Amino acid sequence: MKRSYFAREKVLYLVLVLMATVIVGRLFMLQVIDAAELKAKGIERRTSSASLLPERGKILDAQGNVLAQSIPVKEVYGDPRAINELIESKQTKWTKEEIAAKLSEILSIEQEVILEKLNRDLAWVNIANHVDLEKADQIKALKLPGIGFSDQQKRVYPMDRLAASVLGIVTLDGNGAEGLEAFYNKELYGTPGYSSQQSLLNPSQLNEPAMRGADLRLTLDSTIQYLIEQQLDQLLETTQGKHIAILAMDPMTGRILGMGSRPTYNPNDYSTTDPEERRNLTISMSYEPGSTFKIITGAAALEEGAVQPDDLFEDPGYIQIGPRYITNWDSDFRPHGKVTFTEGMMLSSNVVLSQVGMNLGKESFYTYLKAFGFGSRTGIDIIGEDSALLVPQDQARDIEMATMSFGQANLVTPIQLLTAISSIANGGTLYKPYIVDKITFPDGTVQEKSPEPVRQVISKATAEQMTAILEAVVNEGTGAAAKIPGIRVAGKTGTAQKVDPDTKGYSKTDFIASFAAYAPADNPKIALLILIDTPQGESHQGGTLAGPVAKTIIEGTLQYYGIPVSGETPSEVSEIPETSFERPAPGEVVPERTPLKGESVVPDLTGLTMRQAGEKLAAAELHFHFSGTGLVRGQNPQPGKVVNAGTVINVEFATLEEILQQGSESEPPPNP
């Protein structure tokens, strides 16, 4: 009985398997027949899937101005085989020549180029990338056979060249390749989506939507950056330098306020540039710093007690180290006689600093070189930083010890040097420099950056001693061109000989001129480094070429911060002198017409400070290029004009006295 039961079960199982096989077979045959019928009708079932490109996050400056953003665009593609089939079966009246002609007219691509693609024996050819939506709609309206579209994102930079080498570039596939775009690519890129589509039988199905990337808010301030870009262009014009770089940071935190270099490029059209134009020289240029490095030597020697500010040194204009002679930049073997260490810094004496470095000793010197961060990357959050190079300690002879004391032999980068100098400015703490202030993710989560102290390098007392010496350099020494009345500026000039590639010795005609400074010296808000590689013309001195630039940027930045002067010195801007005239004020603005979408009305900036003008223009989605310092005296375009959002407004600043004097002169004379 048991055996009979199992036999019946086995038979039933076999019957079920057979029935299932028949059903599956029938379904399979139906599928084959269905596909065959579709093919007979000239229709093929096509299953396609695609990765959906997410919208890349924005990059904003410290004020919230957009420096980089992505906009939706289209890729235009063609299916040459489908076009051939439609033409041969007379299902379209369009010819390939006519299709190419229409696309050429809208896309501004040569007709022959498009026609060559449409004549290929392929099922897909790319015709154009990053086509704006308006043009794509024009093409769609024509209903051209075999022409399709796919979604793309185009990276745009509203301020064009502003901070170009800082921002970097984004490739066609939506990934960052240089600068911040590359360093923060993971955060900016977002999460791709996924879509599948079965044509004819099923509508398009979205399986997973793309999630946009995070937004970056920078420490970089576009107002200060404009100042830097303006001075970079001016230096390039006046010095014809091979490379020019300017770097500004908050020495109390390591926050980057602005950075730029020349040559430069427009990231909106980077395909026409080469990597050298796109280099961020402030983090990647390795060079012998020259006399700006005397700040480091002096600070280390003061900290170790190897020198005191009033220690006397003999300076006959030269010093012999073994068979080699070291001379001063201004010597021609002209003796300075007995000078103090402070006077040696003021004179930028190579002879004095060589003796200071030798007194410090090799082991201590290298300890401080590494403590200040030389020979290694700072870790700034941008792709492309170089580590530069120190002479290996075991290979450093007396001559290397002497020359590295005044900025030869060792290589540094601008970011290394200014980070080290900033540690002296802030009281002795080395901070890790950074440029991204916070990251805002699509879900609202915010990741904020904080100042990151690396180590205490020197004591506060030593930092104050060195600051006092650097103030003397500006007030009475080689840095006089950076002197600003009412502001305590600490600074140091640099004029470094470059190595001649042919002779391998130091050139007598090729130099790097530089200037390092921070202010106000007692509570610094900005530290600055300017360098000019291979300046042309009569002068190659750092004080002469870079000193006035440092003065302009420091003065403008402090004015923008609302700190026109330091300490208890009366402000020339915020304090209105006794006069019968009143401080000018903005008037009511009447727009010339109603602004359209994407347009702004130019506000009246009369009498505003730099910060007030910047805030008012930012609120109107406008930018500005300024000259002078003080209060707004003039602007172009004039108030009430309707311009495109993002337009640059030229703003002229002047002191209140100059503005009032101008107003007085413009009034008619009184009646007799």
Side-chain angles (χ1 to χ4, degrees):
M1 189 171 185
K2 198 181 259 190
R3 185 179 301 169
S4 159
Y5 171 79
F6 284 116
R8 286 198 303 272
E9 289 294 308
K10 185 174 183 181
V11 170
L12 181 60
Y13 173 75
L14 290 173
V15 170
L16 290 172
V17 169
L18 181 61
M19 289 177 64
T21 303
V22 171
I23 292 170
V24 170
R26 290 280 297 172
L27 289 172
F28 176 74
M29 289 301 294
L30 287 171
Q31 290 284 85
V32 171
I33 292 169
D34 179 51
E37 287 177 349
L38 289 171
K39 189 170 184 179
K41 294 178 181 178
I43 302 170
E44 291 189 44
R45 177 189 296 172
R46 296 175 183 174
T47 301
S48 64
S49 62
S51 176
L52 300 178
L53 195 65
E55 179 186 351
R56 195 172 176 85
K58 296 178 181 178
I59 301 179
L60 312 170
D61 81 336
Q63 300 178 27
N65 295 312
V66 176
L67 300 179
Q69 65 182 355
S70 292
I71 59 173
V73 289
K74 294 288 184 180
E75 175 196 28
V76 180
Y77 63 84
D79 184 341
R81 288 177 182 170
I83 296 173
N84 287 335
E85 291 176 9
L86 292 169
I87 293 174
E88 290 170 4
S89 62
K90 297 183 179 180
Q91 295 183 53
T92 181
K93 294 181 180 180
W94 288 90
T95 65
K96 287 185 179 179
E97 288 75 13
E98 290 171 336
I99 295 171
K102 282 296 182 183
L103 291 174
S104 172
E105 181 183 336
I106 296 172
L107 298 174
S108 300
I109 301 174
E110 291 185 11
Q111 181 177 341
E112 293 75 13
V113 173
I114 298 174
L115 186 59
E116 186 274 328
K117 292 181 178 181
L118 297 182
N119 281 327
R120 296 176 187 174
D121 184 21
L122 296 170
W124 183 92
V125 290
N126 168 271
I127 295 173
N129 290 302
H130 290 172
V131 176
D132 65 55
L133 300 183
E134 184 180 354
K135 289 184 178 180
D137 287 342
Q138 291 176 28
I139 297 171
K140 286 179 183 178
L142 295 173
K143 297 182 180 179
L144 299 174
I147 301 301
F149 307 85
S150 61
D151 293 332
Q152 288 184 329
Q153 294 285 330
K154 181 182 179 182
R155 199 63 165 171
V156 295
Y157 301 86
M159 297 192 187
D160 292 328
R161 297 192 313 162
L162 189 88
S165 61
V166 179
L167 298 172
I169 59 175
V170 174
T171 56
L172 195 61
D173 64 359
N175 283 291
E178 295 172 6
L180 286 169
E181 298 277 27
F183 193 94
Y184 286 97
N185 187 60
K186 182 180 178 182
E187 291 82 1
L188 287 165
Y189 186 81
T191 305
Y194 176 81
S195 69
S196 65
Q197 176 181 338
Q198 288 188 321
S199 62
L200 299 177
L201 300 179
N202 293 307
S204 177
Q205 297 176 340
L206 183 65
N207 292 28
E208 189 72 37
M211 182 178 291
R212 74 181 303 276
D215 293 337
L216 304 184
R217 175 71 72 101
L218 306 186
T219 62
L220 182 145
D221 190 303
S222 61
T223 300
I224 299 172
Q225 186 68 28
Y226 266 123
L227 253 179
I228 289 173
E229 301 277 356
Q230 184 181 1
Q231 294 304 309
L232 283 167
D233 288 336
Q234 183 175 318
L235 280 173
L236 184 62
E237 181 181 349
T238 57
T239 70
Q240 297 296 304
K242 182 179 178 182
H243 299 105
I244 302 171
I246 300 178
L247 175 62
M249 66 192 302
D250 176 357
M252 309 301 287
T253 61
R255 294 163 57 92
I256 299 298
L257 303 177
M259 54 166 51
S261 53
R262 295 292 181 270
T264 189
Y265 70 105
N266 188 335
N268 289 305
D269 189 24
Y270 75 86
S271 61
T272 61
T273 65
D274 59 59
E276 185 62 24
E277 291 176 305
R278 301 196 301 268
R279 274 182 70 198
N280 184 345
L281 298 178
T282 64
I283 64 171
S284 66
M285 180 179 174
S286 294
Y287 71 109
E288 293 186 17
S291 294
T292 51
F293 198 79
K294 291 171 181 174
I295 300 173
I296 307 303
T297 304
L302 286 168
E303 181 70 12
E304 284 297 297
V307 70
Q308 296 297 324
D310 295 329
D311 283 354
L312 286 172
F313 293 86
E314 190 67 45
D315 183 357
Y318 68 93
I319 185 173
Q320 184 175 3
I321 309 291
R324 299 270 299 276
Y325 283 87
I326 292 172
T327 61
N328 289 327
W329 65 274
D330 63 345
S331 66
D332 293 331
F333 294 92
R334 184 184 70 183
H336 290 139
K338 286 190 179 296
V339 295
T340 65
F341 169 61
T342 299
E343 290 169 336
M345 288 288 290
M346 291 164 55
L347 294 165
S348 198
S349 169
N350 295 340
V351 172
V352 170
L353 268 295
S354 294
Q355 296 176 68
V356 171
M358 299 286 281
N359 291 345
L360 180 58
K362 183 192 294 188
E363 187 173 341
S364 291
F365 204 164
Y366 270 85
T367 296
Y368 281 95
L369 288 176
K370 293 173 182 177
F372 275 116
F374 297 106
S376 59
R377 294 182 179 89
T378 64
I380 187 173
D381 47 343
I382 313 179
I383 289 291
E385 184 183 8
D386 199 343
S387 62
L389 187 66
L390 296 180
V391 174
Q393 185 172 340
D394 59 359
Q395 296 178 25
R397 303 164 299 170
D398 287 348
I399 187 62
E400 280 80 27
M401 287 298 301
T403 56
M404 70 174 63
S405 300
F406 57 83
Q408 288 184 350
N410 289 325
L411 299 178
V412 305
T413 62
I415 188 67
Q416 282 178 342
L417 183 57
L418 191 59
T419 299
I421 291 172
S422 291
S423 71
I424 297 167
N426 68 36
T429 303
L430 188 77
Y431 281 92
K432 180 180 178 179
Y434 66 104
I435 194 167
V436 171
D437 192 38
K438 67 178 180 179
I439 306 172
T440 303
F441 294 91
D443 63 0
T445 305
V446 178
Q447 179 183 322
E448 294 196 36
K449 296 286 191 74
S450 299
E452 187 177 333
V454 179
R455 67 182 71 89
Q456 186 79 17
V457 184
I458 58 174
S459 66
K460 184 178 180 181
T462 297
E464 289 174 350
Q465 280 185 313
M466 181 50 64
T467 293
I469 291 170
L470 296 177
E471 281 190 77
V473 171
V474 172
N475 291 333
E476 305 172 55
T478 56
K483 188 175 181 179
I484 304 171
I487 298 175
R488 293 174 57 186
V489 179
K492 184 70 191 75
T493 57
T495 309
Q497 293 172 287
K498 293 181 65 177
V499 174
D500 188 314
D502 297 324
T503 66
K504 307 303 179 185
Y506 285 103
S507 171
K508 297 184 182 300
T509 57
D510 199 0
F511 301 86
I512 293 180
S514 60
F515 195 92
Y518 52 91
D522 55 335
N523 185 22
K525 296 295 185 292
I526 179 174
L528 185 68
L529 178 62
I530 301 159
L531 64 91
I532 307 152
D533 178 10
T534 315
Q536 305 299 308
E538 295 182 3
S539 176
H540 56 259
Q541 302 297 331
T544 303
L545 298 179
V549 174
K551 175 182 178 179
T552 299
I553 295 174
I554 290 172
E555 195 170 26
T557 299
L558 296 182
Q559 182 73 41
Y560 169 59
Y561 282 160
I563 312 170
V565 292
S566 174
E568 300 301 320
T569 309
S571 169
E572 296 177 0
V573 174
S574 59
E575 296 295 329
I576 302 175
E578 292 184 7
T579 172
S580 58
F581 300 104
E582 294 184 358
R583 173 174 171 168
E588 184 177 350
V589 174
V590 179
E592 60 179 356
R593 61 175 173 81
T594 302
L596 303 174
K597 184 178 180 181
E599 293 183 328
S600 299
V601 177
V602 178
D604 188 359
L605 308 173
T606 303
L608 298 183
T609 65
M610 204 170 286
R611 174 179 283 276
Q612 291 170 334
E615 290 174 347
K616 196 162 188 176
L617 288 171
E621 297 184 344
L622 298 170
H623 309 301
F624 72 95
H625 177 282
F626 54 83
S627 59
T629 59
L631 305 175
V632 176
R633 174 165 62 180
Q635 66 181 84
N636 186 35
Q638 295 300 310
K641 286 287 184 181
V642 176
V643 297
N644 291 329
T647 296
V648 176
I649 310 301
N650 291 305
V651 185
E652 180 188 4
F653 292 84
T655 64
L656 181 59
E657 290 87 337
E658 291 173 330
I659 295 173
L660 297 180
Q661 179 66 28
Q662 182 184 43
S664 174
E665 291 173 350
S666 64
E667 291 184 357
N671 293 324

